[in-house]
Amino acid sequence: MTRIAVFIATAGYSGYFPIAPGTVGSAVGLLVYGVVWLMRSPVPAAAEVLLILCLFAAGVWAATTAERYFGGIDPGPIVVDEVVGMLITLAFIP
């Protein structure tokens, strides 16, 4: 379970990028938003909100587990918060 948590917390290991991992995490969030935006017409807004809530819940669990794995509070490789933050920021843009 720790491997899954680290994978989610680091947004597919993008948090290991050596320069500005938080920015790379935001870029991953932008890519996820792009995929959601392409599917926006056939998918209702409620599904988008559900995706954000599910990713938030998974991110809380994953980040908590990954903090124990990395041995610190809010280590640099954990970027799932940037991904979710990007999705929340862009969620209701028409």
Side-chain angles (χ1 to χ4, degrees):
M1 292 304 281
T2 301
R3 284 184 177 202
I4 295 169
V6 170
F7 181 79
I8 293 169
T10 60
Y13 302 119
S14 66
Y16 286 115
F17 198 76
I19 301 168
T23 304
V24 174
S26 294
V28 169
L30 193 58
L31 288 173
V32 171
Y33 174 75
V35 170
V36 171
W37 183 80
L38 288 174
M39 296 175 16
R40 188 171 261 184
S41 55
V43 175
E48 189 173 346
V49 171
L50 183 64
L51 169 73
I52 292 169
L53 290 174
C54 289
L55 189 56
F56 176 80
V60 168
W61 166 77
T64 303
T65 304
E67 277 185 340
R68 279 188 251 120
Y69 174 78
F70 289 116
I73 296 173
D74 195 24
I78 296 178
V79 294
V80 70
D81 53 334
E82 278 85 357
V83 174
V84 174
M86 184 65 74
L87 292 175
I88 290 171
T89 302
L90 300 172
F92 298 106
I93 293 177

